[in-house]
Amino acid sequence: MNNKEDPIAGPEGQDESLELATFWHRQIESVKDFPDQKRWVKRGETIEKRYRDERSRVDEDGQRRCNSLWSNIEILRPALYGKAPLPVAERKFRDRDPVGRGAAQILERALRAAVEETEIDEAFQQAVTDYLLPGRGVVWVRYEPEFGDGDSLGPDTHLDMNEVDVGDSDQPVAEVTGEGPVPEGDEDSPPGEHDETVDDEALEQPEEEELEKLQATGIRLIRESVLVDYVPWPDFYTLPVRARTWNEVTAVAKRVYMTRDQLKARFGKEIGKTIPLQKDERGHSTQNTAQAPGDQDEKGEVFEIWNKDDRTVYWIATGYQYLCDKKEDPLRLKRFFPVPRPLYANATTNTLIPVPDYIEYQDQAIQIDELSQRI
C-alpha cells in the first residue's frame, strides 16, 4: 500500500524522529528480553515440534511414542471452532422504524458478503491452533480502501424516506412496508414518540470550502475492504511488558518481514532503501509474495505499533534509527486497537503470559511415551 509518509518520518524528522524510534525500539527489546516471555517462547517452540513429531532419523529408530498432544488437538480444535460465524445485525429497540430496519438489513448483508470474500475462516482456524499449542491466538483487523480517478462526492443533504420510490410502486416507503405512523393510543409506542420532526436547518452542513476540497482532489473512493489477518504468535507484542490484564495494555505491536520492494512501496524510496535487510530464519513464512531467488531470505524486520495513550500508530524497523512512518488515529475506533483481546490459554490475573495446555499434562504424556517404548 503506497502511503504518504509523515513529515517527521526518516532523518528529516531529526531529534523527534530519533527519540520516538529509540523509545519504541527499547519497548520492543524489553518484551524480547523479559524472562517470562523468553521462557514461554521456548515452550511454544518445543510444543510445536512435539505436535509435528519432529525427530531425527536416529531418534525415530530408537524411540516409540504415542503422540497424545496431536490426538487432543485434533479433538479440541473442531469443538472450539467449526466454521465462519454468521453475522447478524438487528435493532436494539424493535419499534416501528422502517429506516432503522432497512439500515440493519443493509449492514447485515454487507457483513455477510465481507465474511465470504475475505479469508476470515482461515485466520480464525490458525488463531485457534495457536491457542491450543503455544497458548495464544491473535487476529488483526486491517482496513484497505481502493481509490481511483474522479471527483470526490460530497455528503448528501437530508433525504425524506417517505418520498423514496420503492421498486415499481408509487407509494412511499412507509405505506409499502406497512410501517407508517402509529395511530394515537397505540400501546406499543409511548405517546409522542413518532411525533418528532426533523429540522433540516439543524442538520450539520459541511462548509463550502470543505466541499470544494473534496471535489478538487481528483481521487474517488472505489472500494473499501476490512480484512482479518492472522498474526503468528511470536510476532505479537503487548506493552508494557508487565501488564497483568488486557485493560492495562497501552500499546500493541506486530512484527512483519518485508522485502526491499515492499519497503520502498510502503515507506518511500528514500526510507525503503536505507532499512537494512537481514536473514529471515522463520521456518514457515506468512509472506506469500513473489521474490527473486537471491533475495528469498533477505527481509527487513518492521514493527507496527498502536499506542493507545496518544492514539497514534508508529512504524519502526530493526537496524534503522529513525521512525519509518507515523499516523494519528487512522481508523478512529472506539477502543483504538485494531485487534481484539487475544485468546489466552489458562490465563490468570497477574500476567498476560499464557500457560499452554500441554504443560498441564506433559508428565502424563511423557509417561505414556515411556510405556509405549517398553511395549
Side-chain angles (χ1 to χ4, degrees):
M1 184 170 58
N2 193 358
N3 297 331
K4 184 177 180 181
E5 294 73 36
D6 191 88
I8 74 167
E12 296 181 359
Q14 299 178 352
D15 292 342
E16 184 179 1
S17 178
L18 181 61
E19 290 176 3
L20 286 171
T22 302
F23 171 78
W24 289 115
H25 277 299
R26 289 175 179 172
Q27 294 296 312
I28 295 295
E29 289 301 321
S30 68
V31 177
K32 292 182 178 180
D33 297 335
F34 190 49
D36 292 347
Q37 175 78 11
K38 295 171 68 175
R39 183 166 178 258
W40 171 65
V41 170
K42 186 176 180 180
R43 275 180 166 182
E45 293 173 348
T46 303
I47 292 172
E48 284 188 335
K49 290 181 180 179
R50 183 68 182 89
Y51 174 77
R52 297 171 60 87
D53 198 15
E54 294 182 357
R55 291 180 288 174
S56 64
R57 179 70 64 178
V58 177
D59 293 337
E60 290 178 354
D61 293 339
Q63 296 180 2
R64 295 295 181 267
R65 290 180 176 179
C66 177
N67 198 340
S68 58
L69 173 62
W70 172 84
S71 60
N72 289 341
I73 297 300
E74 295 306 305
I75 293 174
L76 291 173
R77 183 161 45 197
L80 292 175
Y81 178 78
K83 60 180 181 179
L86 186 65
V88 175
E90 57 184 13
R91 294 167 292 168
K92 185 176 182 179
F93 303 105
R94 295 174 177 260
D95 50 5
R96 297 184 179 182
D97 180 14
V99 177
R101 189 181 69 170
Q105 290 178 346
I106 293 173
L107 181 59
E108 181 174 317
R109 293 178 182 181
L111 290 173
R112 293 188 180 186
V115 169
E116 293 177 358
E117 293 183 5
T118 59
E119 297 180 354
I120 186 174
D121 183 62
E122 182 179 357
F124 284 175
Q125 289 182 3
Q126 292 170 329
V128 170
T129 300
D130 280 356
Y131 164 74
L132 293 172
L133 288 174
R136 185 178 69 186
V138 184
V139 293
W140 190 289
V141 178
R142 178 163 47 89
Y143 170 69
E144 273 198 0
E146 181 180 346
F147 298 96
D149 297 335
D151 294 334
S152 299
L153 299 179
D156 295 333
T157 57
H158 173 67
L159 181 63
D160 188 357
M161 292 301 297
N162 287 329
E163 298 178 357
V164 177
D165 184 27
V166 179
D168 297 331
S169 173
D170 294 332
Q171 297 176 346
V173 172
E175 297 180 8
V176 174
T177 58
E179 297 183 359
V182 180
E184 296 181 0
D186 192 344
E187 298 179 356
D188 295 336
S189 301
E193 180 178 354
H194 297 277
D195 296 334
E196 297 178 1
T197 58
V198 179
D199 185 6
D200 293 345
E201 296 180 357
L203 295 176
E204 183 180 355
Q205 297 293 341
E207 298 180 359
E208 295 182 0
E209 295 181 359
E210 295 181 356
L211 287 175
E212 291 179 359
K213 290 180 180 179
L214 287 173
Q215 297 175 356
T217 56
I219 300 176
R220 182 165 58 94
L221 181 63
I222 298 177
R223 178 185 176 89
E224 294 176 291
S225 300
V226 177
L227 307 178
V228 179
D229 296 332
Y230 157 73
V231 180
W233 63 273
D235 297 339
F236 181 75
Y237 299 80
T238 56
L239 301 168
V241 64
R242 294 185 181 275
R244 297 167 299 177
T245 62
W246 183 249
N247 290 333
E248 294 182 0
V249 174
T250 59
V252 296
K254 69 174 178 179
R255 177 175 58 184
V256 180
Y257 290 88
M258 306 175 71
T259 63
R260 179 67 72 193
D261 293 338
Q262 291 173 335
L263 290 171
K264 291 180 180 180
R266 174 59 184 85
F267 303 114
K269 293 183 179 179
E270 295 299 324
I271 297 178
K273 70 180 182 182
T274 311
I275 297 175
L277 302 183
Q278 57 186 356
K279 187 175 181 180
D280 183 6
E281 297 180 349
R282 296 174 299 171
H284 305 281
S285 174
T286 59
Q287 306 289 336
N288 297 322
T289 55
Q291 304 171 11
D295 298 332
Q296 219 167 26
D297 298 327
E298 297 291 331
K299 296 181 180 179
E301 187 181 36
V302 179
F303 293 90
E304 179 180 332
I305 306 167
W306 289 64
N307 184 31
K308 186 168 61 175
D309 287 342
D310 59 4
R311 300 186 72 86
T312 305
V313 187
Y314 302 90
W315 283 266
I316 61 174
T318 302
Y320 186 69
Q321 61 180 345
Y322 297 100
L323 280 180
C324 298
D325 196 7
K326 177 178 77 74
K327 293 188 181 298
E328 296 182 359
D329 202 358
L331 300 181
R332 301 183 182 277
L333 300 174
K334 181 179 180 180
R335 299 182 180 178
F336 182 69
F337 292 151
V339 53
R341 181 184 182 276
L343 295 171
Y344 287 105
N346 305 305
T348 58
T349 57
N350 62 342
T351 180
L352 284 177
I353 304 296
V355 179
D357 290 342
Y358 180 71
I359 299 299
E360 305 295 347
Y361 65 90
Q362 62 178 340
D363 293 338
Q364 287 72 31
I366 294 174
Q367 187 175 12
I368 293 174
D369 289 342
E370 293 175 352
L371 293 175
S372 299
Q373 178 68 21
R374 289 177 60 186
I375 292 174

